[in-house]
Amino acid sequence: MSIDRRSFIAGTAAVAAQFGFASRVYAEDKIVRFTIAQDFTRIYTFVTSEYNQGQRDYFALVNERGGVGGYKIVADVTDHANDLPRAIEAYERGKREGAVLIDPLSTPVARALVPRALEDKINMITAYSGRSDAADGTAFPYVLPLSINYWTQAGLIIENFKKTEKGSLKGKKIVFVHIDTPFGKEPLSILQVLAQKEGFELLTFPYTPPGNDQSAIWPQVRRARPDFVIFWGAGVGQTVALTEAIRNGLPMDRVSSSVWLSESDMDVVGRDAAKGVMKVEPCVGGREPKIIKDILAEVVGKGKGAGPEAKVGTAYYNYGVQMGALMVEGVRLAAAKAPNGPVTGPWLNDGLRSITNFTAEGLLPPTTVTREDHQGGGMGRISRWDGAKFVPVTDWFSANQDVVWGEIKKNSETFKTTGK
């Protein structure tokens, strides 16, 4: 089914009921409105359905418990299909209706909306998408990643490779296979600086989006005899890359992805064949975190879940819960400072930029957001696929943040000067 605003919000009674979005909410309760305009039908379908399901289930949990700080969460979910005119239309509609936050979950959409969000003072969440330099809150006060950006993810991967090699990458060869888009090229600057700093050779292999055919690239990767491989794409590009890596005999315990690798990808590639492959993990996966258990008991178990129960606890589902929890924590802090509002972008912004050592009861690493640091501290971990699940092989850690913040500041200063 095509998911648009009419079918998903106005036309689906079950959705209205599960969110508490019936007319009584608007009439009797104080609300905070979010625009959740994402791509359900075109490019990012591989992640959006599970990520959005996690967000909605978390908002339902909060509303079932009476809200937060005296407010109920109203999430206006719509499909922008990664189409800029549709995304702008959704943004403008949300603005008219009083939305104080938008989560587009799309790099091109987020980049296009930056000027509007800054001018209108509407908080834009850019988790695992958008501009990495938006971590600089002095340049982007209303653009908030609230999570590890792509530069930090690259830094974590390289640090883990270095640990594997007993503390030195000097003379090693690292291959970077990536989709040939701004998203795919994003880590290159960090990798180039780290190659010079650590003394490893960096070889890059871009592929044409969306990445359905990478058969010409991976034999070249094999012949290069790399010590490590990073593959960087999304959706079909990731499964094709991993399939080709396996076919070309590359050892999985020397291959790593960004955050964009999930259980669903393993089902496509082959759960046993992919054993050993690594990924960056921004939050805990699975159903063990308390917050996931609470969702299962209080939302899904009562028939109010937003999607298939089987998806609860998957990587992308938990990413959605992670970001939903951070958004709601921002509301809680804003309400604690100004209980009666008014509910505006600046009101919520003050809360979001006051988040301190927040873990969502153990779901995510300690996250602190300040007026200077919108990334939240830059902590993640590396996990390895064991054939059934991703198992952490490191604790939460940060790495190469001096290099990352050097790149952040260089680019954010350019934005301050040129607007680009």
Side-chain angles (χ1 to χ4, degrees):
M1 183 183 83
S2 174
I3 299 177
D4 57 25
R5 185 171 184 263
R6 178 180 178 185
S7 64
F8 208 74
I9 295 297
T12 306
V15 172
Q18 69 186 254
F19 280 92
F21 290 170
S23 59
R24 64 175 179 81
V25 171
Y26 305 119
E28 299 174 9
D29 295 319
K30 295 191 297 183
I31 67 168
V32 178
R33 181 180 294 276
F34 298 159
T35 296
I36 308 297
Q38 296 165 356
D39 176 16
F40 291 90
T41 55
R42 190 179 173 199
I43 304 296
Y44 301 120
T45 55
F46 71 99
V47 59
T48 305
S49 60
E50 293 177 32
Y51 174 91
N52 184 266
Q53 181 182 340
Q55 279 187 323
R56 289 157 51 205
D57 280 352
Y58 183 75
F59 296 150
L61 177 69
V62 170
N63 287 344
E64 283 287 308
R65 291 174 168 179
V68 57
Y71 292 87
K72 294 288 183 72
I73 305 298
V74 174
D76 188 0
V77 182
T78 188
D79 176 28
H80 61 52
N82 211 44
D83 177 73
L84 294 185
R86 286 177 63 172
I88 291 169
E89 178 186 359
Y91 171 89
E92 292 295 336
R93 181 172 59 244
K95 183 173 72 171
R96 290 193 303 270
E97 295 177 355
V100 294
L101 176 149
I102 182 169
D103 180 6
L105 196 65
S106 161
T107 290
V109 169
R111 284 180 171 270
L113 289 178
V114 164
R116 292 171 188 260
L118 293 178
E119 180 178 353
D120 298 331
K121 297 183 178 180
I122 291 176
N123 300 280
M124 181 164 65
I125 306 303
T126 58
Y128 321 121
S129 60
R131 306 175 60 122
S132 289
D133 57 354
D136 183 357
T138 67
F140 300 92
Y142 285 86
V143 184
L144 300 104
L146 304 182
S147 54
I148 47 177
N149 63 26
Y150 291 133
W151 294 338
T152 288
Q153 290 176 46
L156 293 173
I157 291 170
I158 294 299
E159 187 67 16
N160 186 58
F161 289 168
K162 183 178 176 180
K163 179 182 176 183
T164 301
E165 292 297 323
K166 309 267 191 284
S168 176
L169 289 172
K170 188 173 182 179
K172 301 301 181 181
K173 187 182 294 182
I174 298 178
V175 161
F176 180 59
V177 179
H178 65 94
I179 190 168
D180 195 11
T181 65
F183 151 67
K185 297 173 184 176
E186 186 91 356
L188 276 172
S189 59
I190 295 296
L191 292 173
Q192 288 162 351
V193 172
L194 289 175
Q196 185 174 17
K197 178 183 177 182
E198 300 291 345
F200 63 82
E201 180 183 1
L202 178 67
L203 301 178
T204 62
F205 293 87
Y207 60 80
T208 303
N212 303 68
D213 183 5
Q214 300 176 37
S215 57
I217 289 175
W218 286 94
Q220 297 178 60
V221 173
R222 182 190 70 236
R223 288 192 291 270
R225 300 178 65 84
D227 295 285
F228 297 98
V229 176
I230 303 171
F231 65 109
W232 202 279
V236 67
Q238 290 291 79
T239 55
V240 170
L242 191 50
T243 299
E244 289 291 342
I246 294 167
R247 182 177 295 143
N248 280 274
L250 294 166
M252 289 293 97
D253 62 355
R254 295 270 168 155
V255 177
S256 187
S257 168
S258 68
V259 298
W260 295 128
L261 198 64
S262 74
E263 296 84 354
S264 297
D265 296 323
M266 300 300 102
D267 289 335
V268 173
V269 173
R271 288 183 166 235
D272 288 336
K275 276 184 183 178
V277 69
M278 296 177 287
K279 63 171 281 187
V280 177
E281 199 167 53
C283 67
V284 179
R287 294 185 170 189
E288 287 306 308
K290 181 181 182 302
I291 199 169
I292 303 300
K293 290 180 178 179
D294 289 349
I295 287 172
L296 283 165
E298 299 178 42
V299 178
V300 177
K302 294 181 179 179
K304 298 180 179 181
E309 183 176 350
K311 294 300 184 181
V312 176
T314 62
Y316 297 158
Y317 179 97
N318 286 16
Y319 294 2
V321 174
Q322 173 192 14
M323 300 317 300
L326 285 161
M327 295 173 195
V328 170
E329 177 67 359
V331 173
R332 186 187 72 80
L333 292 168
K337 294 183 178 188
N340 297 316
V343 177
T344 62
W347 176 85
L348 178 58
N349 189 259
D350 196 27
L352 290 168
R353 301 210 288 178
S354 300
I355 292 173
T356 305
N357 286 325
F358 181 68
T359 69
E361 300 183 278
L363 179 69
L364 53 145
T367 300
T368 296
V369 182
T370 68
R371 294 182 179 277
E372 293 76 30
D373 178 9
H374 283 185
Q375 187 179 213
M379 295 184 74
R381 69 185 186 187
I382 305 297
S383 288
R384 188 185 301 280
W385 179 250
D386 72 354
K389 61 187 180 301
F390 288 102
V391 179
V393 295
T394 71
D395 293 327
W396 301 118
F397 72 108
S398 61
N400 296 302
Q401 286 296 287
D402 55 339
V403 175
V404 169
W405 274 94
E407 196 68 17
I408 288 170
K409 285 296 186 180
K410 182 177 72 176
N411 285 268
S412 64
E413 288 300 323
T414 298
F415 177 80
K416 286 178 182 179
T417 303
T418 68
K420 298 180 180 178

